Amino acid sequence: TNATTGNKTMASRAFQLLVIGGGSGGIACARRAAEFGVKAAIVEAGRLGGTCVNVGCVPKKVMYNASNVMETVHDAHSYGMDVSLDTFRWHLLKEKRDAYVKRLNGIYETNLGNSKVEVIQGRAEFSGPKTVVVGDKSYTADHIVIATGGRPNVPDVPGSELALTSDQFFELATLPKRSLVIGGGYIGVELSGILAGLGSVVTHVLRRDVVLGGFDPLISDTVQENLGAAGIDVVHNATLQGFAAGPNGINAAISVNGQTVELPPFDAVISAIGRSPITDIGLENAGVELDDRGYIMVDEFQQTTADGVYALGDVCGKQELTPVAISTGRKLSHRLFEPNPNSKQNFDMVPTVVFSHPPAATCGLTEPQAREQYGNENIKTYTSRFINMYYAMTERKPSTVMKLVCAGPQEQVVGLHMVGRDCDEILQGFGVAMRMGATKADFDACVAIHPTAAEELVTMR
């Protein structure tokens, strides 16, 4: 086939499946399609693995782990251990973390090769229906999947170039002595906790009165308490006015209710004010439409407004989580190539974790969502607050909090929310139970494991 771009006509290579974006969702989609004997290719302009592997979940978890180790060192004396920390070598941690990510890039490349999925390096742009151009080459496909992900937003204020995005956080060569984190979402919360845990003096600025606004109030309130307990200075209801370079660092202009807030100069400013979908790939040439928020419109089967073109992951703006994108990509390939016409992603009861200090974990509906969906009279909640046994020996005493949101006469567990040590590892199994429709009676019928924090979820009254 031939494709026309400008005044040039170029020969096109044809695939059965072409995926734009070599992140977690795109790779999962292409590899699963290849299992069905499909001739598939992925177009990627950057490093394989997308946001999660390169500047998201994976390097973030390494830094979170490092911060946890630091907390453990500080707790050691409470357990009778004479431990001192003479130096923390951020540069060594960064080198090892970056090498780990690079190994993962290589593993992705190897796995794609083993699956016989071709990797096309470059930036893809639609030149017409079911046709994309990468550099001076054209490609057509029976099915094209858009899995381009998102990019971090940059503050629209003077001096914004002085602020690092959440992606650029991982380029920091040294631990900032004083850090400013902007944004009340989970990325900002996680970065604040990491920096404070590793020894930076952190100021956290948000435009609302509470962090994690979309989460259950139990989580939002508790995480906010824990930020303060960690020594983080949280500034609420703030308006960001700009940044300027000064002799002692970066000066930030912030106001609250029209009053200027005096802040010290910072060694690093990190902006975590949300992400936007990457859609500047010639969608208009393919007939792919966006919704009013700028995300690609898809139906329940990931079909866009253009025949034979699909989209999944963060570019669709629904449950922007790596495992959701992976699952969606695989289910799409099953629908198209197995074929299984009913294969589609279920976006209900998706367990997720915020790697705050300590972590927060959630699955299902928040209490306000459940009351709106089922009615106040049909909702019953169970809550518990206690000190994890680990902290019985330590000077710091962060609470563990848990909530079950139950609906209807059978008290089906439609929401589970918790903050506390090990909650990130506790949630997965309960997510399975909730997907199966577990009730409060089912939880109660399970014998508790003692002494653990998890047993609280099966002993609440």
Side-chain angles (χ1 to χ4, degrees):
T1 60
N2 289 319
T4 301
T5 305
N7 296 319
K8 298 185 297 181
T9 300
M10 60 183 81
S12 294
R13 289 183 58 206
F15 294 92
Q16 289 170 278
L17 172 69
L18 183 69
V19 178
I20 303 174
S24 302
I27 288 173
C29 181
R31 290 191 67 203
R32 185 57 53 92
E35 290 182 20
F36 298 116
V38 169
K39 183 182 178 185
I42 283 179
V43 184
E44 174 55 53
R47 294 179 289 173
L48 288 171
T51 297
C52 175
V53 169
N54 295 292
V55 289
C57 337
V58 171
K60 178 272 303 289
K61 188 68 183 289
V62 171
M63 302 306 288
Y64 169 82
N65 288 340
S67 188
N68 277 349
V69 170
M70 190 78 84
E71 288 182 351
T72 304
V73 169
H74 292 315
D75 290 339
H77 75 279
S78 297
Y79 276 88
M81 301 174 194
D82 185 14
V83 176
S84 61
L85 186 67
D86 297 325
T87 56
F88 165 51
R89 293 172 289 179
W90 174 286
H91 69 280
L92 179 60
L93 175 61
K94 182 180 184 302
E95 286 172 12
K96 294 184 71 175
R97 184 198 71 211
D98 293 350
Y100 175 55
V101 169
K102 192 171 183 180
R103 284 201 305 276
L104 293 178
N105 296 146
I107 289 169
Y108 272 109
E109 187 173 8
T110 299
N111 288 344
L112 286 166
N114 291 340
S115 297
K116 296 188 168 45
V117 174
E118 183 172 336
V119 178
I120 301 165
Q121 194 70 31
R123 188 180 184 280
E125 188 160 324
F126 281 97
S127 58
K130 296 187 181 181
T131 306
V132 301
V133 173
V134 183
D136 59 357
K137 294 183 172 62
S138 177
Y139 302 91
T140 62
D142 301 326
H143 305 279
I144 296 180
V145 174
I146 303 166
T148 45
R151 58 169 67 96
N153 296 334
V154 176
D156 185 18
V157 295
S160 60
E161 70 280 357
L162 296 171
L164 302 173
T165 65
S166 52
D167 286 4
Q168 294 168 325
F169 166 80
F170 298 103
E171 298 171 13
L172 278 171
T174 58
L175 173 68
K177 290 181 179 178
R178 296 197 66 93
S179 305
L180 174 64
V181 176
I182 302 164
Y186 77 92
I187 296 174
V189 164
E190 290 176 341
L191 295 182
S192 275
I194 288 168
L195 286 164
L198 292 175
S200 184
V201 178
V202 178
T203 299
H204 192 141
V205 168
L206 52 145
R207 59 179 176 155
R208 296 191 175 93
D209 57 357
V210 69
V211 297
L212 303 178
F215 288 73
D216 190 90
L218 178 96
I219 288 181
S220 301
D221 294 342
T222 306
V223 169
Q224 185 144 293
E225 288 172 18
N226 290 339
L227 288 173
I232 297 168
D233 180 21
V234 183
V235 181
H236 309 279
N237 302 308
T239 301
L240 178 63
Q241 294 166 325
F243 308 105
N248 299 310
I250 301 169
N251 297 314
I254 307 280
S255 65
V256 174
N257 299 324
Q259 300 294 313
T260 300
V261 178
E262 294 296 331
L263 296 174
F266 296 97
D267 301 299
V269 174
I270 298 121
S271 167
I273 57 170
R275 298 175 67 86
S276 294
I278 298 173
T279 57
D280 50 344
I281 56 170
L283 295 179
E284 64 281 358
N285 298 326
V288 175
E289 296 178 17
L290 305 178
D291 65 18
D292 54 7
R293 298 185 303 149
Y295 292 95
I296 294 178
M297 284 197 296
V298 292
D299 66 10
E300 60 185 324
F301 293 103
Q302 309 308 130
Q303 172 70 55
T304 70
T305 51
D307 183 51
V309 180
Y310 317 87
L312 58 87
D314 291 6
V315 79
C316 300
K318 189 171 185 179
Q319 294 276 11
E320 296 180 42
L321 300 164
T322 296
V324 172
I326 291 171
S327 179
T328 305
R330 288 173 178 161
K331 285 182 169 61
L332 176 59
S333 283
H334 277 276
R335 180 170 77 83
L336 296 176
F337 304 115
E338 187 177 8
N340 178 354
N342 297 317
S343 178
K344 63 179 181 178
Q345 180 61 38
N346 185 324
F347 293 93
D348 295 330
M349 297 291 187
V350 173
T352 187
V353 164
V354 178
F355 288 99
S356 50
H357 285 74
T362 178
C363 184
L365 301 175
T366 66
E367 182 179 343
Q369 288 170 341
R371 291 189 181 282
E372 182 177 344
Q373 183 169 326
Y374 292 96
N376 281 328
E377 68 280 7
N378 297 312
I379 294 297
K380 186 172 182 180
T381 62
Y382 298 84
T383 60
S384 178
R385 178 180 290 265
F386 58 96
I387 304 297
N388 188 296
M389 189 173 172
Y390 171 86
Y391 300 111
M393 300 293 107
T394 64
E395 294 169 9
R396 61 192 183 103
K397 307 284 185 188
S399 294
T400 294
V401 295
M402 296 179 173
K403 177 193 284 187
L404 297 179
V405 181
C406 303
Q410 299 299 316
E411 292 194 357
Q412 180 184 351
V413 182
V414 296
L416 190 161
H417 313 281
M418 50 185 169
V419 182
R421 184 181 177 89
D422 299 327
C423 285
D424 50 334
E425 296 290 351
I426 291 171
L427 182 63
Q428 189 75 72
F430 285 98
V432 174
M434 291 173 67
R435 288 280 294 125
M436 296 174 71
T439 64
K440 178 66 166 61
D442 292 324
F443 275 42
D444 294 344
C446 183
V447 174
I449 304 168
H450 184 73
T452 65
E455 68 178 304
E456 200 73 17
L457 290 170
V458 299
T459 58
M460 285 190 194
R461 292 178 62 83

